């Protein structure tokens, strides 16, 4: 446990999960389950909102969501590396870009 | 009623889905935080023993033209091309035997120096003055040290501890005694079994060397031009032919501890990697000799008969950077080298071109951050050294800064290693870059990465690394808690 | 139509669910295979530098009564209690100066030995004869070696390489010269800053020692009875008072490389761990001295002034096993020890009772597999040594087998370390046991584990480790490919 | 890559996934998704087979399935550790036990 985490003792408890040979795989399994739960629910939301989803709309949305996912994971990875400034800039720049793209995507989803 | 139940369930899934999405985003952040800080990501201080730290797929980047650029007839490397050899010679000359005048003094000037020093400094005006300044700086540095000692006691002790086994009767590996034709064969067993093939020899040596602690291992044929001339360890000053049994070089790389390395120039030290490397190649020399082949360890800081970056390039470990240091895909510029020269039949690896040298042409971060101005800013390498065009730093300028930073004596600087964009740990973010960047033929990916590097990351600037009044004793990244003196001691 | 569609989807989910279930089972197997073989699971050869290999939570198992059992008045440890010291003394006595008769020979018998050897062997009838047999075995072993050399050339070379830095001018750390009151202070800097607290000192020293390569670090106060008597390194044969500055011991543990260790007695070697430990404590001695405190490294194979298993127990690292070796939760019996004695103010750790010693009472696997019969089969320890009841092996018997196995000379045996059920790598299966077993007050979990150990795992049996005709040169587990001579050489 | 895997070169390709900082988490996410997929389908199977599932039946079934899961994972972990014999015995003994328990469970599931 180095760098940032060794200087911020509270974060050392992360190691209870991510340093464990049992809990780390469990963590990722739950992460996978959560994604499925998310998309299952989303399907119903879209239908209730009267949005007609097509395969290409799902593909666009999944790509956009993966962008959000990777931006958050990547930003915090840099923070964990003791490059907090770079991590926040990374999330700021790509986060802004994704909000703009998200607005565009919303319009596209609402088309037939 | 059935319908109502269906809607409730529907609502439940809808809400659970939103919560799940939010939690999965939070989890992505948490996992990223952990991955960034994980010690498993500290290449060379983790999965080394089983060779897992050599994870870069070199095959797509094999090349017939190594990334040093040949422009003329190669020549052997003169002894005095090494800074430390020069300093040793100068010191010797300035040292007067009791009751005698010294063979040389500053007042006599560069022209009064014996060859080959005379020609060396004649070709490099000002270099000798830089060294004189370095000596003056050293005095000043020692005088300054009490001011900084309370801040950097631990960094000092840590460095001294790593360096300890270099001096006194504990020095390891033992230095060669006598000509290589004797010393490289001393302690060698008679050959008892023959290798199935040179490939078997290489695979075996690589696996064994990993268990000895090497992060990277590569093998090359030894080209004559990488051998020094004018001095031979175990013999002394001599002009010599390259011994017939110096056929192959097993090149070994290990990194500095990452957190202290990022906290250069003050908190880093050379000896964590150096002591590890000496340990590895000292053992490897014995291992090879026990199989019945001659072997000769080459190890830092100064026990070399060959030049290391070129043999490491030949062995496919990486490419030379603008700062003159070898850059490898796994370790970046945090790559320290040692080797064993041997007559054992081996299969040589192939050099790689993974776009590192091309990136150096554009990046220039190390030159911008170098506190000594020793690194070139030109768009392409312009120096030609013994028939090769390559980046070459100004050695005296570099050394001068070692004598300037807030340490007790010239312990090095290593800022160029720390700020190099290739100097990154092993986690998914940097691994994606490691895979994608060298495979992009357009170079756009590299340009985007360099742009992010320069906008997202902050650098203290070249003067900040120096003590006041010129700078503020900055380090590239803050040191880890365990090296911060005031975490543990009453000031 | 809507209904039809619903049923199709329903069928699809049903089938996909079955396929998913099957794939997830296959994936569980694949992941298990990978986890079992992962180099990350090789404790001490992986995540060591950041202390991650010391992952066992000791707190629930702190105890005021360490798991050695005190039964009388403690006494200091006589010099001749150490096998190697005895052998050295005997060799010296049997060596005749030119033209003189030796001071002792086998014909003169044990009664003719000088004290303290005379009393030692008088108390242990037969022990001297075992040693004489060991010498005879050594001759036989050397004569046998050509037969096995082609099979075990690599194991031999690997061991020789790891051992290389122990001999000649390369020996490290340097041995103390003169009394501890001088040598432990030699090279020490003046104290410049005071520690915030002893706890700060302990935390600092532990972190630093991990970066030097230690898998486990613990600290204890030095009890007088763990100090040897009759010989002091740097002084020689002497009766001495425990120096006033020998207050604390920093105890360090590192494992052997796992695959070669499991392939004992032939493929294992002591020097991979020994050389690593010498490296660590040699650096640590210097580190502590640089902070202004006296320090004295203790390192294998024989450079000790104190007994290691008891101080390691005091420092909370583990408990002593039936085979006499320290067992730790992380490394099992694959725990090799070194230390630094220091006057630095530190906070001592507490000893643990995690049920290891209690398990040894039942298990007996090491005794069953020991090729020398040196390990006791009794249900509880019956030997009383200097006031402590504890497991104690028959040292001469053990040593005799070192001279018997198919190696070129007495390189050790280590079968008891390899077969110990605690000697397990770091993966989820063994980690679950590590967490659950010591928390079960009923002992049923341990009984179940021992049952599985004895039924699922196979052992070659004690004789199999010896060469023919007594055995078949077996190793506990097959050696890794990289140490198999015939993978690489033409036989 | 040691022991068994270094002696069986084909298995070294496992490291492509499990030695990767990107693919290993992805692997576990997919593992989690597969479990959800499995249980979703199972729900429909039980209903089509006329089995009236209650929460405690689901709990029993999940415990049994976790037993199967851990037995396979544990057995192959031992195999990967170069203890092939112990791994196979482990799966043999606990696998047999789980088949017997599975038969009992099947009866329980078929009760009201």
């Amino acid at each position: 446990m180095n760098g940032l985490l060794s200087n911020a003792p509270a974060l050392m408890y992360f190691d209870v999960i991510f340093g464990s040979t049992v809990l780390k795989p469990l963590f990722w399994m739950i992460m996978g389950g959560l994604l499925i739960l998310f998309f299952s629910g989303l399907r119903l939301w879209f239908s209730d909102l009267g949005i007609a989803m097509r395969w290409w709309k799902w593909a666009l949305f999944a790509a956009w969501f993966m962008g959000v996912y990777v931006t958050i994971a990547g930003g915090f990875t840099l923070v964990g590396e003791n490059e907090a400034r770079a991590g926040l800039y990374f999330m700021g720049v790509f986060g802004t870009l994704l909000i703009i793209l998200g607005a565009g995507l919303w319009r596209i989803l609402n088309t037939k | 009623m059935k319908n109502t139940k269906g809607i409730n369930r529907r609502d439940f899934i809808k809400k659970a889905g939103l919560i799940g999405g939010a939690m999965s985003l939070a989890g992505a952040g948490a996992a990223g935080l952990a991955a960034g800080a994980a010690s498993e990501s500290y290449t060379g201080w983790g999965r080394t023993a089983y060779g897992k730290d050599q994870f870069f797929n070199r095959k797509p980047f094999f090349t017939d033209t190594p990334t040093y650029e040949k422009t003329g007839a190669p020549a052997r490397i003169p002894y005095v091309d090494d800074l430390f050899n020069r300093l040793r010679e100068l010191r010797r000359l300035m040292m007067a035997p009791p009751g005698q005048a010294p063979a040389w003094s500053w007042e006599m000037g560069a022209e009064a120096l014996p060859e080959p020093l005379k020609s060396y400094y004649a070709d490099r005006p000002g270099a000798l003055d830089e060294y004189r300044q370095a000596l003056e700086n050293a005095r000043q540095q020692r005088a300054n040290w009490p001011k900084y000692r309370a801040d950097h006691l631990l960094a000092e002790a840590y460095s001294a501890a790593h360096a300890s086994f270099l001096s006194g009767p504990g020095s390891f590996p033992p230095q060669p005694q006598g000509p290589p034709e004797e010393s490289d064969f001393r302690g060698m067993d008679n050959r008892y079994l023959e290798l199935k093939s040179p490939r078997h020899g290489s695979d075996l040596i690589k696996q064994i060397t990993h268990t000895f602690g090497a992060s990277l291992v590569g093998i090359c044929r030894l080209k004559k031009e990488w051998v020094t001339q004018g001095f031979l360890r175990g013999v002394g000053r001599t002009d010599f032919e390259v011994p017939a049994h110096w056929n192959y070089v097993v090149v070994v790389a290990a990194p500095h501890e990452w957190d202290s390395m990022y906290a250069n120039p003050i908190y880093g030290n050379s000896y964590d990697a150096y002591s590890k490397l000496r340990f590895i190649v000292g053992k490897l020399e014995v291992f090879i000799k026990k199989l019945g082949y001659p072997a000769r360890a080459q190890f830092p800081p100064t026990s070399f008969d060959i030049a290391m970056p070129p043999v490491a390039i030949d062995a496919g470990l990486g490419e030379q950077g603008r700062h003159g240091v070898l850059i490898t895909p796994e370790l970046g510029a945090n790559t320290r080298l040692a080797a064993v020269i041997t007559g054992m039949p081996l299969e040589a690896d192939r050099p790689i071109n993974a776009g590192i040298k091309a990136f150096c042409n554009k990046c220039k971060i190390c030159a911008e951050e170098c506190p000594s101005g020793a690194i070139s800013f030109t768009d392409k390498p312009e120096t030609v050294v013994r028939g090769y065009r390559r980046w070459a730093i100004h050695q005296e300028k570099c050394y001068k800064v070692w004598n300037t930073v807030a340490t007790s004596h010239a312990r090095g600087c290593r800022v160029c290693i720390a700020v190099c964009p290739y100097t990154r740990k092993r986690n998914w973010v940097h691994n994606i870059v490691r895979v994608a960047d060298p495979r992009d033929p357009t170079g756009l990916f590299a340009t985007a990465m360099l742009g992010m590097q320069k906008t997202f990351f902050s650098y203290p600037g070249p003067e900040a690394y120096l003590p006041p009044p010129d700078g503020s004793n900055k380090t590239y990244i803050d040191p880890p808690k365990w090296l911060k003196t005031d975490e543990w001691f009453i000031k």
Side-chain angles (χ1 to χ4, degrees), chain A, chain B:
Chain A
M1 200 51 70
N2 298 285
L4 176 79
L5 298 204
S6 82
N7 292 335
L11 295 181
M12 287 182 63
Y13 294 101
F14 270 65
D15 205 42
V16 172
I17 290 176
F18 295 108
S20 163
T21 51
V22 176
L23 299 180
K24 193 178 172 181
L26 262 180
F27 169 85
W28 285 111
M29 287 172 84
I30 293 167
M31 291 291 285
L34 289 171
L35 280 180
I36 288 193
L37 203 59
F38 176 55
F39 276 85
S40 309
L42 213 60
R43 201 171 55 87
L44 305 181
W45 276 101
F46 282 135
S47 113
D48 284 6
L49 291 165
I51 296 173
M53 288 301 278
R54 305 272 180 279
W55 70 265
W56 57 268
K57 286 188 182 177
W58 276 115
L60 279 179
F61 178 83
W64 177 83
F65 182 76
M66 206 180 93
V68 177
Y69 197 96
V70 166
T71 298
I72 292 178
F76 278 101
T77 298
L78 290 175
V79 174
E81 270 181 45
N82 236 350
E83 296 273 14
R85 183 182 177 278
L88 297 174
Y89 272 67
F90 180 89
M91 285 190 282
V93 169
F94 287 99
T96 308
L97 192 71
L98 282 160
I99 288 168
I100 296 165
L101 285 176
L105 180 64
W106 185 246
R107 284 173 167 241
I108 293 171
L109 294 183
N110 275 295
T111 61
K112 292 276 159 186
Chain B
M1 194 192 127
K2 203 168 180 225
N3 201 22
T4 318
K5 226 178 153 186
I7 284 170
N8 283 348
R9 212 182 132 265
R10 207 178 163 81
D11 279 337
F12 172 73
I13 293 179
K14 282 166 72 174
K15 279 178 190 140
L18 278 190
I19 294 167
M23 282 177 71
S24 99
L25 289 179
L33 202 56
S39 58
E40 286 91 332
S41 76
Y42 283 62
T43 311
W45 288 69
R47 316 180 314 151
T48 287
Y50 305 98
K52 293 288 189 62
D53 274 339
Q54 188 157 353
F55 55 85
F56 187 80
N57 176 14
R58 290 179 163 73
K59 231 178 187 172
F61 312 111
F62 286 148
T63 172
D64 291 315
T65 50
T67 54
Y68 42 73
E69 196 183 336
K70 196 172 183 177
T71 58
R76 301 265 299 278
I77 304 164
Y79 166 58
V80 292
D81 266 25
D82 181 273
L83 174 74
F84 297 102
N85 293 341
R86 284 199 299 283
L87 303 193
R88 199 182 302 125
E89 289 294 304
L90 286 171
R91 263 196 304 275
R92 199 175 53 76
L93 290 167
M94 287 191 275
M95 198 87 81
Q100 279 182 257
W104 184 81
S105 66
W106 291 105
E107 291 69 39
M108 295 163 71
E111 297 83 57
L113 282 169
E115 290 293 354
L117 284 173
K118 185 181 170 182
S119 316
Y120 182 86
Y121 284 114
D123 293 341
R124 290 156 185 86
L128 198 57
D129 294 331
E130 297 276 1
Y131 173 51
R132 191 174 190 174
Q133 186 59 45
L135 290 185
E136 177 49 37
N137 288 354
R139 260 187 296 276
Q140 188 57 44
Q141 185 184 44
R142 281 190 294 273
N144 281 343
W145 173 236
K147 275 193 278 181
Y148 308 120
R149 192 174 173 186
D151 287 311
H152 309 310
L153 179 69
L154 277 182
E156 195 62 26
Y158 189 63
S159 174
H162 270 302
S164 62
F165 88 143
L166 293 176
S167 53
S171 173
F172 173 82
Q175 293 293 342
Q177 306 283 336
E181 288 72 15
E182 291 171 21
S183 61
D184 299 0
F185 291 77
R186 194 169 294 133
M188 193 182 100
D189 282 3
N190 287 331
R191 191 133 70 256
Y192 191 73
L193 296 175
E194 295 298 330
L195 281 163
K196 285 186 178 170
S197 74
R199 174 65 182 278
H200 282 85
S202 294
D203 288 352
L204 169 63
I205 290 299
K206 285 180 181 179
Q207 174 57 55
I208 293 292
T209 310
H210 280 307
T211 71
F212 286 164
S215 298
L216 310 180
V217 190
I219 293 170
C220 68
R221 278 202 158 273
L222 179 58
K223 293 184 183 172
K224 283 207 169 34
E225 58 249 50
W226 306 139
V227 180
T228 55
Q229 181 59 292
F231 189 91
L232 182 57
R233 291 162 61 239
V235 176
R237 295 187 62 176
T238 175
D239 282 338
F240 65 102
E241 289 299 309
V242 176
H245 64 279
W246 287 15
N247 298 324
Y248 292 94
V249 188
V250 183
V251 189
V252 171
H256 298 295
E257 192 285 320
W258 289 81
D259 280 328
S260 56
M261 180 276 304
Y262 281 132
N264 269 314
I266 295 173
Y267 289 85
N269 79 91
S270 291
Y271 294 101
D272 56 354
Y274 286 2
S275 59
K276 209 173 169 185
L277 287 166
R278 291 170 73 110
F279 203 62
I280 296 163
V281 296
K283 286 181 174 182
L284 183 59
E285 176 186 309
V286 174
F287 184 79
I288 291 175
K289 283 180 170 176
K290 281 278 160 185
L291 299 181
Y293 301 98
R296 185 181 182 91
Q298 307 286 310
F299 46 89
T302 58
S303 297
F304 292 106
D305 306 295
I306 58 175
M308 290 311 300
V311 295
I313 293 169
D314 285 343
L317 293 187
E319 306 176 33
Q320 192 174 33
R322 179 182 286 272
H323 39 38
V325 176
L326 189 81
I327 299 176
T328 58
E330 288 93 346
L331 304 168
N334 188 15
T335 303
R336 304 321 291 254
L337 297 166
V340 174
I341 305 172
T342 181
M344 182 174 178
L346 299 170
E347 187 176 280
D349 292 305
R350 301 185 61 197
I352 61 165
N353 181 354
I356 296 171
K357 197 186 157 206
F359 187 87
C360 281
N361 289 345
K362 291 183 282 186
C363 167
K364 301 187 189 177
I365 288 175
C366 61
E368 286 157 14
E369 285 298 302
C370 174
S372 74
I375 303 175
S376 161
F377 279 88
T378 57
D379 286 339
K380 292 203 169 183
E382 289 180 352
T383 335
V384 173
V385 185
R386 289 181 307 280
Y388 290 94
R389 185 186 306 280
R390 65 172 184 86
W391 304 109
I393 65 162
H394 192 300
Q395 300 185 15
E396 268 78 8
K397 279 190 181 175
C398 173
Y399 180 65
K400 205 173 64 174
V401 159
W402 299 14
N403 283 297
T404 308
V405 294
T407 51
S408 71
H409 61 282
R411 291 210 283 105
C413 165
R414 290 170 300 270
V415 162
C416 57
I417 290 175
V419 300
C420 178
Y422 281 99
T423 306
R424 292 286 177 252
K425 296 183 284 189
R426 178 191 167 271
N427 62 42
W428 69 281
V429 169
H430 305 303
N431 284 349
I432 286 172
V433 179
R434 282 184 176 100
V435 169
D437 174 60
R439 284 173 177 81
D440 168 26
T442 67
L444 288 174
F445 193 90
T447 306
M449 288 299 114
L450 183 56
M452 282 164 64
Q453 189 70 42
K454 294 211 176 186
T455 49
F456 295 169
F457 291 75
S458 69
Y459 298 94
E463 292 86 15
Y465 304 106
L466 303 175
D470 299 314
S472 50
N473 282 333
K474 272 279 191 186
T475 57
Y476 169 48
I477 290 181
D478 285 337
K481 177 181 166 183
W482 49 273
L483 276 185
K484 280 185 185 153
T485 303
D486 56 8
E487 288 278 348
W488 312 101
F489 289 93
I490 303 160
K491 250 171 98 169

